[in-house]
Amino acid sequence: MTRPLRLIVFDVDGTLVDSQADIIAAMSYAFGAVGMPVPPQNDILAIVGLSLDVAMARLAPDRDAVTRAEMVAAYKNAYADLRAQSDVADSSPFYPHARATLDRLSETPENILGVATGKSRRGLDALLSGHGLSGFFTTEQVADHHPSKPHPSMLQAAMQETGTTPENAVMIGDTAFDMQMARAAGMRAIGVSWGYHPPEAMGEADHLVHDFRDLPGVLDNLWGSD
């Protein structure tokens, strides 16, 4: 019997690639641009995955919307400058075994791979191009066109684009926002322990993986390997 199509959606920063150095540097520039002290590193990493406007509101709640908009623009410009100065493989390297696992999952005909990220379209395009992944993912959901995580809009759009249903879809991410987004979309969720939120923050995950190489087996168990 033919198996149904299965949508596997990945978060990007903190899940597929480790881009924290550029994120922290760009956020430091954004705060410096408006004369504010830079938040602690843990506070910055805690908002990774949110859309920038929501992230800035959390990090600078006492600043008005105009100032936060200036900070968002400064962040985007700084991030783009950083990307232009270094190779993507150096500034946002894959986590161990991430690329090989993506290739392995893509070899299964029923699997449809996608991403749902707080990055902008420009930022995601630069990252995928730098890693040789342009066109690799069937569906790519970015912050430009959706409310911030954990709103389910990104995952709802991914399912609509690919003709899949919640019972045959899963979200894989490193933050509580990813897990909450999956739940809001009616999908299952797999958390990874190597990202920016501590494992204990992902209590809504169906499974927690500690090594990318374990992911195919977890997915087989989730849906059944037959």
Side-chain angles (χ1 to χ4, degrees):
M1 187 172 78
T2 302
R3 294 193 297 185
L5 296 176
R6 294 169 173 174
L7 175 62
I8 304 168
V9 183
F10 291 88
D11 170 58
V12 176
D13 295 315
T15 300
L16 293 177
V17 300
D18 185 4
S19 49
Q20 64 176 294
D22 281 354
I23 291 170
I24 292 169
M27 195 64 75
S28 298
Y29 181 85
F31 274 76
V34 296
M36 289 184 65
V38 180
Q41 177 173 315
N42 286 344
D43 290 353
I44 295 174
L45 293 180
I47 56 80
V48 174
L50 297 175
S51 299
L52 273 175
D53 57 340
V54 176
M56 289 302 183
R58 292 198 180 192
L59 290 174
D62 56 337
R63 294 303 172 109
D64 59 35
V66 173
T67 301
R68 292 200 296 265
E70 292 176 2
M71 296 167 73
V72 168
Y75 178 97
K76 288 181 176 180
N77 290 334
Y79 202 92
D81 289 344
L82 289 165
R83 276 286 160 81
Q85 295 168 17
S86 62
D87 187 87
V88 168
D90 295 325
S91 63
S92 295
F94 276 120
Y95 283 103
H97 313 294
R99 181 57 196 269
T101 301
L102 289 175
D103 290 339
R104 178 180 171 184
L105 291 173
S106 71
E107 292 169 357
T108 298
E110 295 84 9
N111 289 345
I112 301 173
L113 304 188
V115 291
T117 175
K119 285 183 174 299
S120 66
R121 180 77 263 173
R122 179 177 70 167
L124 180 63
D125 285 347
L127 179 80
L128 295 181
S129 176
H131 277 298
L133 283 174
S134 296
F136 181 85
F137 295 101
T138 301
T139 180
E140 299 172 356
Q141 306 300 324
V142 296
D144 307 61
H145 311 304
H146 298 281
S148 179
K149 297 177 183 181
H151 193 283
S153 175
M154 288 187 188
L155 296 181
Q156 291 167 340
M159 287 187 286
Q160 183 175 17
E161 284 184 8
T162 58
T164 51
T165 56
E167 63 269 22
N168 292 313
V170 64
M171 176 70 198
I172 300 164
D174 70 304
T175 71
F177 312 131
D178 297 314
M179 305 301 102
Q180 293 161 5
M181 179 172 64
R183 290 303 183 204
M187 291 168 52
R188 283 176 275 195
I190 296 174
V192 303
S193 64
W194 52 78
Y196 303 149
H197 280 195
E200 57 268 23
M202 288 179 281
E204 295 188 55
D206 292 286
H207 298 276
L208 185 66
V209 296
H210 305 285
D211 187 310
F212 242 115
R213 292 170 294 186
D214 296 334
L215 185 57
V218 170
L219 289 168
D220 283 344
N221 288 333
L222 193 70
W223 282 313
S225 57
D226 56 330

